[in-house]
Amino acid sequence: MTGQCFSEIALPLVDLGIKVIPVQPSDKRCLLPGWQKKATTDAEQIKRWNAENPNYNVGCVGTPDTVVVLDCDIHGLIRRIEQETGQKFSKTLIVRSAGKRCAHLYFRQTDVSRSLGNKKAAGLFDLQSMDKYVVGPGSRLDNGRSYDIVHDDPIADFPDWLEMWILANADADKPKPKTHGDHPVNDDFDIADMLEHYGLDYVQDGEWFITDVCPIAGRKHEQSTRTGFFFDGNNLGFH
């Protein structure tokens, strides 16, 4: 897949039912504002992104109605899970990352995987289920390596037996941090649009949108590295 343009690497993925987004060339970052709502399987939109920059990498987005990705952070995790559970993974699409050269396992969402949502264990895995993405096959990083398909099998359903292993090994969910008031918002509220409107660059961490500068002070606070907004889909808060 070396040397292919964005549409050439993205369209085969959408044929598998995977929603995609444009990712910066030779990078892992997506700078598309509100990408969570713009991830798509629409071929015409993909062609427009390709016209914008054919060198984009592709991001494969986990959504409740499409796929969930088990993003391994260590080598041999597949074998370890099988040994610890006494189960064996069904054949499915597996991609080797260009960074750590570890596996990304793609699964179709099920009621079990949807109930799990996003989970992670630092240094072990990330379960990218809801508005999370991995860089997709055919993409390349500035280290010269590419994301490569190692098992080109049809995407299997998320295995029910994997749920207990994920829950047993995942980091404890973070408690909701204190904010300066949580305020209900209208159903059509889009936090990405709000941040773009005020010219605020941000990094999303779960339900937190960490801004580069404090919107009130206009600069970064030395003693607060997580200034930003909390948004859980219904309520908006500020820290």
Side-chain angles (χ1 to χ4, degrees):
M1 302 179 80
T2 301
Q4 292 181 308
C5 65
F6 173 75
S7 62
E8 290 173 325
I9 62 177
L11 289 173
L13 295 169
V14 305
D15 286 342
L16 299 176
I18 300 171
K19 291 185 178 181
V20 300
I21 52 175
V23 174
Q24 291 301 103
S26 302
D27 204 342
K28 298 180 181 181
R29 296 174 301 154
C30 176
L31 301 184
L32 178 67
W35 61 263
Q36 295 89 344
K37 292 189 175 182
K38 296 175 183 176
T40 188
T41 58
D42 180 62
E44 294 306 312
Q45 178 58 61
I46 289 166
K47 291 175 183 177
R48 287 192 287 271
W49 283 332
N50 188 77
E52 182 179 288
N53 190 338
N55 295 317
Y56 278 141
N57 276 341
V58 64
C60 296
V61 182
T63 66
D65 59 333
T66 58
V67 298
V68 54
V69 182
L70 179 62
D71 180 355
C72 302
D73 286 335
I74 62 170
H75 294 278
L77 185 60
I78 296 173
R79 183 171 62 254
R80 170 178 163 178
I81 294 173
E82 291 180 337
Q83 289 174 343
E84 292 181 358
T85 61
Q87 302 283 346
K88 189 171 181 62
F89 284 104
S90 300
K91 291 182 178 180
T92 194
L93 176 64
I94 301 179
V95 175
R96 182 174 57 231
S97 74
K100 296 179 181 178
R101 308 302 279 168
C102 295
H104 294 167
L105 286 76
Y106 288 71
F107 299 105
R108 298 282 175 204
Q109 291 270 18
T110 67
D111 288 343
V112 170
S113 62
R114 281 188 283 268
S115 68
L116 273 173
N118 300 323
K119 297 292 181 186
K120 70 178 300 177
L124 190 61
F125 71 83
D126 290 273
L127 188 67
Q128 315 286 36
S129 179
M130 175 62 181
D131 291 341
K132 298 282 188 178
Y133 71 89
V134 295
V135 180
S139 303
R140 302 183 70 85
L141 296 184
D142 56 10
N143 62 13
R145 295 199 294 252
S146 61
Y147 289 75
D148 303 315
I149 294 176
V150 293
H151 290 293
D152 193 9
D153 294 298
I155 301 176
D157 286 346
F158 183 86
D160 289 353
W161 56 262
L162 184 56
E163 177 187 24
M164 294 308 298
W165 188 91
I166 294 289
L167 290 173
N169 289 275
D171 297 336
D173 290 335
K174 296 177 182 177
K176 178 180 171 182
K178 288 185 177 180
T179 66
H180 291 300
D182 287 346
H183 303 283
V185 296
N186 292 331
D187 290 341
D188 60 355
F189 175 80
D190 187 327
I191 190 167
D193 288 346
M194 183 195 79
L195 294 169
E196 182 181 10
H197 174 77
Y198 288 104
L200 295 170
D201 292 326
Y202 66 95
V203 173
Q204 184 178 356
D205 180 12
E207 295 172 328
W208 275 98
F209 295 76
I210 312 303
T211 53
D212 285 357
V213 299
C214 172
I216 297 174
R219 57 180 174 81
K220 193 74 173 178
H221 294 297
E222 293 182 2
Q223 303 302 319
S224 176
T225 60
R226 294 183 62 80
T227 297
F229 295 89
F230 170 85
F231 180 61
D232 63 3
N234 297 302
N235 297 283
L236 178 69
F238 173 72
H239 172 68

